[in-house]
Amino acid sequence: MVYLSDESKKIFMNNKHNYKYLYLHGFGSSCHSQKAIYFTEKFAEKGLKLEVIDFNQPDFLNLSLSRQIEQVSTIINADLESQFILIGSSFGGLTAN
């Protein structure tokens, strides 16, 4: 089940601010998970692009919260003109927080 607050629904349904959406998958998951694919398809139906971050790169062995935060920060800092909405699942939710 997916829960969206009323405010999140308004943002999602009316993308007048041209937000960029990032999906952060959970620990042990991947950018090719069923959930990542589901969200990517649902966003596409609304004409929105969802970028799914691959936290398993460069390797899964050294995956950590600090590395995930650094990966997301690098993406955001490379595009300071945009506003980002982070959508996280499990450990990706912790990263988004």
Side-chain angles (χ1 to χ4, degrees):
M1 170 177 259
V2 176
Y3 171 77
L4 292 176
S5 69
D6 288 339
E7 186 62 28
S8 295
K9 288 177 190 173
K10 288 178 193 173
I11 290 169
F12 183 71
M13 298 305 288
N14 181 7
N15 195 29
K16 66 180 179 182
H17 299 290
N18 221 10
Y19 294 111
K20 291 195 175 180
Y21 300 93
L22 301 179
Y23 177 75
L24 316 179
H25 66 74
F27 185 81
S29 188
S30 80
C31 59
H32 305 292
S33 70
Q34 288 182 354
K35 195 180 299 183
I37 292 168
Y38 172 83
F39 279 120
T40 300
E41 290 172 352
K42 291 299 177 187
F43 271 67
E45 288 174 12
K46 301 291 183 190
L48 302 172
K49 181 180 182 208
L50 177 66
E51 182 177 348
V52 181
I53 308 303
D54 186 358
F55 287 130
N56 296 319
Q57 297 301 320
D59 63 73
F60 179 76
L61 182 63
N62 295 304
L63 182 62
S64 67
L65 179 60
S66 58
R67 188 181 93 189
Q68 287 189 188
I69 291 171
E70 183 178 324
Q71 283 178 265
V72 173
S73 296
T74 298
I75 292 168
I76 292 171
N77 289 331
D79 188 1
L80 296 176
E81 298 295 317
S82 296
Q83 292 182 324
F84 289 85
I85 293 181
L86 306 180
I87 303 160
S89 174
S90 190
F91 197 55
L94 177 62
T95 304
N97 199 15

